Amino acid sequence: MSTLTKPNHIGRKISRIRELRDMKQEALAQALGTNQQAISAMENSETIDDEKLVEVAKALGVTVEAIKNFSDEAAINYFNNFTDTKNSNVNFGNHCTFNPLDKLMETVEENKKLYERLLKAEQDKIEYLEKLLNQK
């Protein structure tokens, strides 16, 4: 009998979630501290005890309810609800309200003024030191 005709086949749901998470049976086995054959047997079983299901859910990064309520149709609907934003005319707020070159030139002018102030401070320091030397 096919597992597709059994909506509550927990093992098959675990298998599908594992595949969607791009995880191999070996990786799940390692996370659970078991071997690949045990995972294969678990995925072929129709029911799993609640303790083991909690461990599997944790290893897969989902909740127990997510495993119990999983369906391929729901997963397909979930991914179909995403829209392709590359070709849409959605504005994500990255329209400039200023000229970037103007901002660059403002920054250049600011840096020039800071440099001139620094240069003036250095000249004042040199004059002061020369004055001290001439007094001795």
Side-chain angles (χ1 to χ4, degrees), residues 22 39 50 73 79 83 91 95 98 103:
D22 198 26
I39 299 300
D50 289 338
E73 294 82 21
F79 287 110
T83 57
N91 182 2
H95 175 70
F98 59 88
K103 288 290 184 186

Side-chain angles (χ1 to χ4, degrees), residues 5 28 35 42 45-46 61 65 67 94-95 113 132-133:
T5 60
L28 182 56
N35 58 27
M42 179 182 58
S45 40
E46 200 171 325
E65 292 76 28
I67 294 174
N94 54 357
H95 175 70
K113 288 177 185 174
L132 284 176
L133 281 174

Side-chain angles (χ1 to χ4, degrees), residues 10 32 34-35 42 79 101 117-119 136:
I10 297 294
L32 294 174
T34 187
N35 58 27
M42 179 182 58
F79 287 110
L101 291 176
R117 283 196 342 233
L118 180 63
L119 190 60
K136 287 187 178 186

Side-chain angles (χ1 to χ4, degrees), residues 95-122:
H95 175 70
C96 288
T97 56
F98 59 88
N99 185 347
L101 291 176
D102 289 342
K103 288 290 184 186
L104 178 64
M105 291 312 298
E106 285 176 21
T107 306
V108 167
E109 289 300 317
E110 249 179 73
N111 284 344
K112 189 191 285 186
K113 288 177 185 174
L114 287 172
Y115 178 75
E116 288 171 354
R117 283 196 342 233
L118 180 63
L119 190 60
K120 176 71 173 131
E122 287 297 316

Side-chain angles (χ1 to χ4, degrees), residues 4-116:
L4 294 176
T5 60
K6 297 182 180 184
N8 284 331
H9 194 286
I10 297 294
R12 179 70 185 139
K13 291 178 179 185
I14 290 170
S15 174
R16 291 294 295 137
I17 292 170
R18 178 184 56 75
E19 290 167 356
L20 288 170
R21 309 262 311 156
D22 198 26
M23 184 184 278
K24 295 192 179 292
Q25 284 183 340
E26 291 84 8
L28 182 56
Q30 187 177 15
L32 294 174
T34 187
N35 58 27
Q36 182 268 328
Q37 290 81 6
I39 299 300
S40 179
M42 179 182 58
E43 289 180 353
N44 286 321
S45 40
E46 200 171 325
T47 59
I48 296 172
D49 64 43
D50 289 338
E51 253 181 57
K52 190 69 173 175
L53 195 57
V54 169
E55 292 175 28
V56 171
K58 187 175 178 183
L60 289 173
V62 296
T63 63
V64 172
E65 292 76 28
I67 294 174
K68 288 181 178 180
N69 298 327
F70 179 81
S71 72
D72 284 326
E73 294 82 21
I76 290 168
N77 287 337
Y78 176 80
F79 287 110
N80 282 341
N81 284 334
F82 288 105
T83 57
D84 181 17
T85 57
K86 278 190 245 175
N87 297 324
S88 67
N89 291 327
V90 178
N91 182 2
F92 290 103
N94 54 357
H95 175 70
C96 288
T97 56
F98 59 88
N99 185 347
L101 291 176
D102 289 342
K103 288 290 184 186
L104 178 64
M105 291 312 298
E106 285 176 21
T107 306
V108 167
E109 289 300 317
E110 249 179 73
N111 284 344
K112 189 191 285 186
K113 288 177 185 174
L114 287 172
Y115 178 75
E116 288 171 354

